[in-house]
Amino acid sequence: MNSIIQKAPGHFHGGIHPPEFKSLSNQKSIERIPLPEFLLLPLKQHIGSVDEAVVSVGDKICKGQLVAIPTQFGAAIHSPADATVVAIEPSLVGHPSGKPVMALKLQVSKRNSSESFEELKSTENSEWKTLPLEQLINKVQEAGIVGLGGATFPTATKLRTQPVDTLIINAMECEPYITCDDRLLQEKADEVLQGALIASHLLNAKQIIFATEDNKPEAIESLKKAILDSQAKNVKIVVAPTKYPSGGEKQTIELVTGKQVPHGQLPASLGIAVQNVATVKAIRDAILFNQPLTERVVTLTGDLVKTAGNYVIPFGTPVSHLIELLKIDKSQLEAVIFGGPMMGQSIRDFGAPVTKSTNCIIFNKKKSNQHDWVIEAKQHKSCIRCSECQQACPVDLLPQQLLWFSQSEQWEPLEEHGLLDCIECGACAYVCPSEIPLVHYFRYGKSEIADLKANKKKSEKAKERYDFREMRLERAKAERAAKHKKAAEARKKAAQDANKDPDGKQAAINAALERVKQKKNKQTSDNKSSEGEN
């Protein structure tokens, strides 16, 4: 291969080769979806806590305006359009729990144009390299950028991870159907490269590695041309064989570096940082053009979509608007899949909106040939201990044993056998001949372990409060006892003195003598002072 393009030196355990279905959507250029009449912006579009709205019902807001800020760990949210806030209330937004989440409902103004920020951008900020690193990272934070590969981890936090030797741009996009990063590289490789160089500067990284699979030849060529045209140094493309889930962060690192991230540690322990293709593009837009993250490229595909492809969609756009635009037959549509068929989520509420985590929406017929059990629970058979799942597991776990512990609710052994290392890729469920929805059991086990840890922490806090209360009560009791003892001794002494001097005359005489003595001592002291002055 060319020196810029290299073969992946490493490999990871397991993995599978499901049908790709990528040709449905990767053949046509990225288009823009027009704004709907209403946008629904959940106040939680990231890993972390729910944001706090900084606008009120009735407010008229502008495109790009800040509408919510993180209360703790999280990312800011901005309006994708000129609009009016019509409600701030709990809404069904397709959350995995099925519970409502606080959201802003915006009525889009008719004065909005179809132009994007990119078409309206101001002059490029060419002086960005002269600014302090923390100021640049703060710009990324203020833009509300999160990991757009699906994890939605606040990007500014990752950019503060130093020192970093290698920045890996994850362009694997290994899950079936999803092609948004592929098209982004094909059409805007120069902008993605620019974003990667900016991220590298913020991390003080010495080299940049674009990691991708060999099923994206057009993207690889486009990226190669961008690197050569820019004359960027220490940038290379590492190409791995197509295998799912090569896009997992730890699997990508193992493929392109041959190193394994130690158990319980982060990539930073190896001097590595990983960012997604769309994420570095968003970093570039924030640093160079002050653009907040209000939209993203989403793959719209499936056997019900006649014009499958990749579209720029504003956050808050409901699925119902996409169904109408794509002219999808609702009678054949029971649910849509947010994400890919392996790790995605089945959504039956078509009012659910596109958010920062949405990289793909699949519209398939009710009876599809795909493995619909990967994302939905259905009747399954008993485990036959065939070990197919163990051979497919990319993190080398024992899924059949984890299943047993989960079914029997043995939470401690479940954690000891590495459940928390599970990346929920679904490879084990895909190869299971009994069609057991293993990932569902593992998610259930993780939630139970998390609850146990939370309850244990609460118990420890409660015990600390109880022990402190007991210590405080004991101290107060001891202080009262000492006070009572001192008062009793005083009363006893007073009684003894009363017996010696019943009428109090001797006490008066003693007090008078003491006063005379003190007066005489004072006079003597004054006389000595005057003699010393003379």
Side-chain angles (χ1 to χ4, degrees), residues 30-34 116 295-298 310-314:
I30 297 171
E31 297 179 21
R32 175 168 292 278
I33 288 289
S116 67
E295 59 189 22
R296 66 164 298 160
V297 179
V298 181
N310 290 280
Y311 298 82
V312 178
I313 304 179

Side-chain angles (χ1 to χ4, degrees), residues 97-114:
S97 66
K99 295 180 180 179
V101 174
M102 287 299 295
L104 295 173
K105 187 175 182 180
L106 309 179
Q107 184 172 16
V108 176
S109 171
K110 291 182 180 179
R111 68 175 180 270
N112 279 286
S113 70
S114 61

Side-chain angles (χ1 to χ4, degrees), residues 260-460:
Q260 284 189 343
V261 178
H263 172 73
Q265 295 189 34
L266 298 174
S269 64
L270 298 177
I272 295 172
V274 182
Q275 294 287 357
N276 168 263
V277 168
T279 307
V280 293
K281 167 71 164 56
I283 291 172
R284 172 248 186 204
D285 294 343
I287 297 295
L288 299 186
F289 305 108
N290 299 312
Q291 294 179 15
L293 182 63
T294 62
E295 59 189 22
R296 66 164 298 160
V297 179
V298 181
T299 302
L300 301 181
T301 185
D303 53 24
L304 284 174
V305 185
K306 296 178 182 178
T307 55
N310 290 280
Y311 298 82
V312 178
I313 304 179
F315 300 138
T317 301
V319 172
S320 57
H321 180 65
L322 303 177
I323 291 173
E324 183 179 343
L325 288 174
L326 298 174
K327 296 182 171 59
I328 292 173
D329 185 356
K330 289 184 182 179
S331 64
Q332 297 191 62
L333 184 67
E334 184 176 330
V336 298
I337 302 171
F338 270 47
M342 305 299 294
M343 299 181 71
Q345 178 191 352
S346 181
I347 300 291
R348 286 177 166 77
D349 177 13
F350 298 152
V354 170
T355 66
K356 296 180 183 182
S357 64
T358 311
N359 57 359
C360 178
I361 304 178
I362 303 172
F363 302 85
N364 275 337
K365 296 177 182 177
K366 291 181 182 180
K367 294 182 179 179
S368 176
N369 292 327
Q370 68 167 326
H371 288 280
D372 59 353
W373 46 261
V374 174
I375 56 163
E376 295 185 30
K378 61 181 278 188
Q379 190 66 35
H380 58 81
K381 300 173 185 176
S382 299
C383 174
I384 59 174
R385 312 291 284 185
C386 65
S387 78
E388 289 289 332
C389 53
Q390 186 275 328
Q391 294 176 37
C393 179
V395 288
D396 207 10
L397 298 177
L398 298 171
Q400 70 272 35
Q401 195 63 36
L402 297 178
L403 172 67
W404 167 255
F405 288 135
S406 181
Q407 288 177 326
S408 56
E409 299 187 350
Q410 299 183 55
W411 310 127
E412 288 187 10
L414 191 62
E415 184 175 6
E416 290 169 0
H417 279 70
L419 176 68
L420 300 185
D421 288 332
C422 171
I423 61 174
E424 300 178 17
C425 66
C428 54
Y430 184 87
V431 299
C432 178
S434 297
E435 296 193 349
I436 301 172
L438 293 160
V439 175
H440 288 280
Y441 283 102
F442 300 157
R443 287 175 179 163
Y444 170 61
K446 286 181 179 181
S447 66
E448 288 296 316
I449 290 171
D451 286 344
L452 283 174
K453 288 183 176 180
N455 291 334
K456 184 179 179 181
K457 192 172 183 179
K458 288 180 183 177
S459 297
E460 289 172 351

Side-chain angles (χ1 to χ4, degrees), residues 97-268:
S97 66
K99 295 180 180 179
V101 174
M102 287 299 295
L104 295 173
K105 187 175 182 180
L106 309 179
Q107 184 172 16
V108 176
S109 171
K110 291 182 180 179
R111 68 175 180 270
N112 279 286
S113 70
S114 61
E115 294 176 301
S116 67
F117 276 110
E118 194 164 329
E119 293 162 338
L120 297 170
K121 65 191 178 186
S122 57
T123 306
E124 179 179 327
N125 175 19
S126 58
E127 304 297 322
W128 65 270
K129 282 189 178 181
T130 64
L131 299 176
L133 290 183
E134 188 59 27
Q135 184 176 338
L136 293 171
I137 294 173
N138 284 339
K139 288 187 71 172
V140 173
Q141 184 170 337
E142 291 163 3
I145 299 173
V146 298
L148 298 178
T152 65
F153 190 88
T155 301
T157 302
K158 265 193 172 184
L159 293 176
R160 290 189 173 98
T161 304
Q162 293 189 26
V164 168
D165 178 72
T166 302
L167 170 62
I168 297 176
I169 307 303
N170 189 342
M172 291 291 186
E173 202 166 49
C174 59
E175 195 164 359
Y177 286 99
I178 308 174
T179 60
C180 51
D181 287 349
D182 183 4
R183 282 307 311 185
L184 201 56
L185 282 174
Q186 288 187 49
E187 298 182 37
K188 299 183 182 295
D190 55 338
E191 296 181 11
V192 173
L193 175 62
Q194 202 172 19
L197 291 170
I198 293 172
S200 174
H201 173 75
L202 299 180
L203 288 163
N204 286 314
K206 297 176 183 176
Q207 65 170 333
I208 299 173
I209 298 175
F210 280 86
T212 187
E213 292 182 305
D214 57 12
N215 63 349
K216 303 174 183 63
E218 294 88 355
I220 293 170
E221 282 303 312
S222 178
L223 186 55
K224 175 187 171 183
K225 182 179 183 301
I227 295 170
L228 291 173
D229 290 346
S230 69
Q231 298 182 346
K233 298 179 180 179
N234 300 321
V235 181
K236 62 182 179 181
I237 305 168
V238 174
V239 182
T242 300
K243 183 170 71 167
Y244 177 83
S246 59
E249 186 174 68
K250 293 184 177 180
Q251 286 68 44
T252 299
I253 291 171
E254 194 168 354
L255 280 169
V256 302
T257 69
K259 301 176 182 177
Q260 284 189 343
V261 178
H263 172 73
Q265 295 189 34
L266 298 174

